[in-house]
Amino acid sequence: MIEALEYPFFQRALLAGVLAAIAGGIVGSYVHVKRIASISGGLSHAAFGGVGLGYLLGFAPTLGATLFALGSGAFLSAAYRRVSARLETSIAILWAVGMSLGIVFLSMAPGYKPDLTSYLFGSILFVEAGTLWWTAGLDLAIVSTVLLCFREFEAIAFDEEFARVMGLPVGILLQILFALIALAVVSLIQVVGVILVIALLTLPAAIARQWTDSLRGMMVLACLIGASCTTTGLWLAWILERDLGVRAAPTGPLAILLAVLAYALSTMIRRVVRRVRPAAPDAA
Amino acid sequence: MSDPGSVPAFRLSGVHLARDGQTVLDGIDLEVPAGDYLGILGPNGGGKTTLVQLMLGLLRPDAGTVEAFGVSPRRARGRIAYVPQRFEFDRQFPARAEDVVVMGRLHCKPFGRGYSAEDRDRARESMRRLGVDNLAQRGIGNLSGGQLQRVLIARALAGDAQAIILDEPTAHLDADSAGRLYDLLRELNERMTVLLIGHDVGVMHRQVRSVACVNRKMFHGHVKELTDEVLERIYGYDVALIGHHHSHEGSQG
């Protein structure tokens, strides 16, 4: 991988992968413990509508994706607080409408049209410096918000009703949390694409959960695992291209497959460890 | 122990509440003197939990007033400890017992700050009082039912509560743990008002001092006034007061 590091596009890709993994690891930990993976799936597909609108009206697709994801996050947080049965329907609608709008807008867009697969499955090798700054900005927003409201988010993630009894502004906190998920989704789309975002939000956090009983530890671990996946995926793609002549090896799907493999391995090791060293037996 | 003339712990008058067009509570009057040990009984769907949500300020009545310690329940926050039904949260949540208990200090902590050393001391003290301080570092997924119940009570009592409300606290406990819980509640009642929600009429009858039966409307009185006739009127069917355990699964009043 050393020789690959000489290329600026590879350096940018590496950095994009790590930055996205940070957003995904932190926000993904909330998504995992609150069991709202389907919400992140809905947000990423809704964001695609914004990508299409960007091309149609000639502004940055990432800006479009950010606006669409944030808007959808606000919509879903309202649905989430009312009736959970309607939440499922709302997610399905956002999911489908976002994808359809994206495709329709792209078909109407004048001039250069991007390859659809690059948005569906990621295009980390074509990350521009501007997008990198944008992703860094999203990371900064996510990290600082979580640092500021760590205990509050922990409380609403664990037990919303009790948080309300304790006088926390649960509604506002949920809105902020959903906005953070939207921002993380946008930063991940660049790396793994609309379709695979859900995997990079949930898998590193799920692996991390197997090895720690603390939310904070889970976040740190999930960031490291996510970054290892994106970095190794990139490196694998490089090997495939250089040694096997595979053209345009898909870095995003490779990173996801690595994450799935890591999850399987982690689950197995965890099971063995449990058998060797069972949890302390409880006195009733 | 209830000092006459003192402010009651809870006072509900003329409370009416409808949800989705259906009347859940109708003309509820209830005064719980400070220091009382009140059991709240009633069939499933009869409005017990709604009543508690009103007392906690999680809901507002459509008509009538709800007061806790002479002020609105929202303003009384921190003075009312609350122990929800277990398993309403996820036991896989990454938290140790002490992380959960210190959440009972959330209302004392400025927004956007971590817990202070005092918050952690108070949480530890509360765990000691409930005999779960040895479990502080244990993940909540590795606690037994009785242990988790005590951790939740420790969380509720980590603040400065003058009353505690427990929603079906014995629902998932074996007989031994339930017995210990009732001992604990009686001990707590020496210094605070205790409200116990349950559906086991026989057990309630042995434990509490006064009862409120809720099934849209309310009967409230000393536990000795709770007769089979009163219960039948409230539940709409025959309920054995003392003796065998009566199951209410699936029954609607």
Side-chain angles (χ1 to χ4, degrees):
Chain A
M1 190 148 90
I2 305 298
E3 79 267 24
L5 282 173
E6 289 167 12
Y7 298 98
F9 82 90
F10 199 88
Q11 297 166 359
R12 283 199 299 271
L14 209 57
L15 199 52
V18 171
L19 287 174
I22 292 172
I26 294 172
V27 172
S29 295
Y30 288 123
V31 169
H32 179 76
V33 299
K34 224 165 161 32
R35 298 179 190 271
I36 47 176
S38 60
I39 285 176
S40 58
L43 291 184
S44 73
H45 287 77
F48 187 63
V51 171
L53 192 66
Y55 278 104
L56 179 63
L57 300 182
F59 58 85
T62 314
L63 178 64
T66 309
L67 294 177
F68 266 56
L70 280 175
S72 308
F75 173 71
L76 284 186
S77 78
Y80 174 84
R81 275 153 52 213
R82 286 200 194 96
V83 201
S84 56
R86 260 177 239 157
L87 177 66
E88 287 298 300
T89 316
S90 307
I91 291 170
I93 290 172
L94 272 183
W95 196 298
V97 168
M99 288 307 282
S100 307
L101 277 181
I103 303 272
V104 169
F105 287 156
L106 275 178
S107 74
M108 290 158 55
Y112 165 74
K113 283 174 205 176
D115 179 12
L116 206 54
T117 45
S118 73
Y119 277 101
L120 297 185
F121 298 103
S123 56
I124 198 173
L125 293 173
F126 302 103
V127 170
E128 290 158 15
T131 315
L132 223 44
W133 281 111
W134 187 264
T135 313
L138 296 180
D139 270 1
L140 191 66
I142 290 169
V143 172
S144 52
T145 311
V146 168
L147 279 179
L148 186 68
C149 307
F150 186 81
R151 292 300 172 191
E152 282 77 10
F153 283 140
E154 178 186 55
I156 63 160
F158 178 60
D159 188 343
E160 270 174 41
E161 188 184 43
F162 190 79
R164 212 166 271 139
V165 172
M166 289 282 104
L168 287 190
V170 173
I172 296 170
L173 285 166
L174 278 172
Q175 262 170 23
I176 299 174
L177 184 61
F178 277 47
L180 294 186
I181 300 173
L183 295 183
V185 158
V186 172
S187 73
L188 285 168
I189 283 178
Q190 191 73 65
V191 179
V192 291
V194 166
I195 294 177
L196 299 177
V197 161
I198 195 168
L200 215 46
L201 264 181
T202 52
L203 285 174
I207 297 168
R209 175 65 187 101
Q210 294 178 326
W211 301 101
T212 171
D213 265 339
S214 113
L215 186 57
R216 212 186 288 256
M218 197 176 153
M219 287 177 171
V220 174
L221 210 52
C223 289
L224 293 175
I225 293 166
S228 317
C229 289
T230 56
T231 307
T232 315
L234 201 57
W235 173 71
L236 261 183
W238 172 265
I239 298 283
L240 283 176
E241 293 224 22
R242 193 194 55 189
D243 296 348
L244 298 174
V246 178
R247 286 196 54 216
T251 55
L254 283 171
I256 298 299
L257 289 175
L258 283 168
V260 174
L261 191 68
Y263 181 70
L265 277 176
S266 168
T267 308
M268 274 193 300
I269 297 171
R270 189 82 201 111
R271 228 168 255 171
V272 172
V273 170
R274 277 242 171 83
R275 200 161 302 161
V276 176
R277 196 188 52 175
D282 287 350
Chain B
M1 175 182 356
S2 75
D3 168 16
S6 72
V7 184
F10 295 97
R11 183 188 281 142
L12 288 77
S13 48
V15 165
H16 182 96
L17 189 96
R19 271 175 158 179
D20 301 321
Q22 285 223 316
T23 301
V24 185
L25 294 172
D26 188 15
I28 302 288
D29 294 305
L30 174 69
E31 188 168 315
V32 185
D36 197 6
Y37 188 170
L38 175 74
I40 301 178
L41 279 166
N44 290 332
K48 283 175 297 190
T49 300
T50 309
L51 189 71
V52 168
Q53 289 177 325
L54 283 167
M55 289 172 163
L56 291 168
L58 296 174
L59 287 176
R60 280 176 212 270
D62 297 332
T65 56
V66 181
E67 280 179 7
F69 297 104
V71 294
S72 77
R74 277 164 181 268
R75 288 189 50 204
R77 251 165 203 166
R79 296 162 77 179
I80 310 162
Y82 174 55
V83 182
Q85 274 200 44
R86 288 196 307 114
F87 303 130
E88 298 229 323
F89 55 81
D90 184 2
R91 284 190 76 175
Q92 292 303 308
F93 192 90
R96 294 161 303 171
E98 66 174 359
D99 300 330
V100 171
V101 173
V102 79
M103 285 186 201
R105 302 290 299 172
L106 275 167
H107 65 285
C108 320
K109 163 184 107 51
F111 192 89
R113 293 266 193 83
Y115 296 109
S116 67
E118 195 204 338
D119 291 332
R120 298 200 175 277
D121 285 347
R122 293 289 300 274
R124 230 163 281 143
E125 187 190 313
S126 187
M127 295 187 86
R128 232 184 335 264
R129 232 177 345 181
L130 281 147
V132 288
D133 45 333
N134 55 323
L135 304 172
Q137 301 296 321
R138 181 117 27 122
I140 54 164
N142 298 327
L143 297 177
S144 73
Q147 290 169 337
L148 186 58
Q149 187 64 263
R150 278 175 183 257
V151 165
L152 292 187
I153 298 173
R155 171 178 76 165
L157 296 175
D160 305 292
Q162 293 166 267
I164 182 166
I165 303 178
L166 302 98
D167 195 351
E168 306 251 8
T170 55
H172 306 276
L173 296 188
D174 56 50
D176 256 15
S177 313
R180 274 201 296 274
L181 178 69
Y182 288 125
D183 292 344
L184 172 70
L185 294 183
R186 222 169 298 134
E187 190 192 314
L188 281 177
N189 185 228
E190 284 165 19
R191 54 195 161 89
M192 63 174 70
T193 314
V194 177
L195 270 69
L196 177 64
I197 302 174
H199 60 260
D200 191 325
V201 178
V203 168
M204 277 286 199
H205 201 255
R206 287 193 295 276
Q207 298 299 331
V208 300
R209 188 175 311 155
S210 49
V211 282
C213 289
V214 203
N215 190 10
R216 217 156 61 91
K217 297 196 179 276
M218 178 176 275
F219 160 88
H220 177 219
H222 192 274
V223 70
K224 292 213 179 79
E225 299 158 4
L226 182 69
T227 60
D228 284 340
E229 287 88 320
V230 171
L231 279 171
E232 196 177 332
R233 221 172 56 228
I234 301 278
Y235 278 75
Y237 58 87
D238 186 29
V239 180
L241 188 54
I242 300 172
H244 71 279
H245 176 85
H246 191 99
S247 164
H248 296 285
E249 286 312 309
S251 58
Q252 295 289 319

